[in-house]
Amino acid sequence: MCGIVGFTGRQQAAPILLEGLEKLEYRGYDSAGLAVRNDEKKVNVVKAKGRLKALAAKTNDGKALAGTCGIGHTRWATHGEPSTVNAHPHVSNDSSVAVVHNGIIENYIELREKLTKKGYQFVSQTDTEVVAHLIHYYYNGNPLETITKVMTRITGAYALGILFKDRPGEIYAVRKDSPLIVGHADDGNFIASDVPAILEYTRDVY
């Protein structure tokens, strides 16, 4: 069980993500991470082993990570030991795709072998890294078409939050048999694994 939170809007994302993850820490506390982007600039990823306070300290409570669009994750390990390398978000080799994930990809070993043969390099022991590379492999410039194609190739229960380098200000999310909600507020939009993560900002939840 893991916790996911995402925000895109007019405020700085990292402090909001950290606050949301704090409400979700019951879902996992062996590591945590953030992926935040600022306008057209690259996606910056910061991860830390241990409880959320380690990530907060590493980012000065989010102030050191500028950007108004981002995703965050707090982890309870299922594939791969608790470590910074295995912490989410996971990124494609060229860092053009960043992914956070709650759930289990049941056919990840098969997918990992196929992607390795196609030249993808894996740095973690997780099933989630497979998703980042698979999205990159199928990406055709249309996030929705790509995610739909990826969904037909992975089996298991999952909720995903996804950033694309060429889609600034946008977060993509998909779920199958794992909890995920979408929240709307006047100054931004949210995704989260559970309502408490975003109650401070909105009660408008789908």
Side-chain angles (χ1 to χ4, degrees):
M1 185 168 66
C2 301
I4 292 173
V5 64
F7 171 78
T8 183
R10 292 193 289 270
Q11 300 184 53
Q12 289 297 300
I16 294 173
L17 297 176
L18 285 171
E19 288 177 16
L21 290 177
E22 185 179 6
K23 304 293 195 308
L24 296 176
E25 199 168 18
Y26 72 91
R27 297 182 65 87
Y29 47 81
D30 65 44
S31 60
L34 302 174
V36 177
R37 67 175 302 156
N38 196 5
D39 299 324
E40 299 293 333
K41 298 179 182 178
K42 69 175 185 177
V43 177
N44 292 306
V45 177
V46 180
K47 303 192 281 189
K49 180 183 175 181
R51 300 193 75 100
L52 187 61
K53 63 183 180 181
L55 180 63
K58 207 169 184 178
T59 61
N60 189 22
D61 292 327
K63 301 181 186 71
L65 205 55
T68 58
C69 178
I71 51 179
H73 187 272
T74 183
R75 181 172 185 254
W76 178 255
T78 52
H79 292 99
E81 65 182 11
S83 69
T84 301
V85 170
N86 287 333
H88 302 212
H90 288 284
V91 298
S92 58
N93 289 155
D94 64 357
S95 299
S96 65
V97 178
V99 176
V100 291
H101 167 222
N102 174 39
I104 295 176
I105 306 302
E106 294 173 354
N107 60 336
Y108 85 100
I109 294 176
E110 172 192 342
L111 293 170
R112 184 179 179 122
E113 290 173 352
K114 289 181 178 179
L115 289 164
T116 299
K117 289 177 181 177
K118 295 182 182 297
Y120 286 88
Q121 297 179 337
F122 287 79
V123 298
S124 79
Q125 302 167 307
T126 69
D127 56 339
T128 303
E129 191 181 0
V130 165
V131 179
H133 294 320
L134 197 62
I135 291 172
H136 177 271
Y137 178 73
Y138 284 114
Y139 189 51
N140 61 0
N142 185 318
L144 294 181
E145 286 184 5
T146 300
I147 293 167
T148 301
K149 184 174 289 187
V150 168
M151 287 179 68
T152 67
R153 285 157 175 79
I154 58 177
T155 58
Y158 52 83
L160 304 171
I162 308 162
L163 299 181
F164 291 87
K165 182 180 179 180
D166 65 347
R167 311 291 291 201
E170 297 179 4
I171 297 173
Y172 291 82
V174 61
R175 65 177 290 269
K176 178 181 179 291
D177 300 329
S178 287
L180 189 71
I181 61 170
V182 176
H184 172 70
D186 291 338
D187 57 358
N189 295 294
F190 304 82
I191 62 169
S193 298
D194 203 354
V195 173
I198 60 176
L199 273 181
E200 181 179 342
Y201 298 97
T202 182
R203 302 297 174 96
D204 194 359
V205 172
Y206 304 88

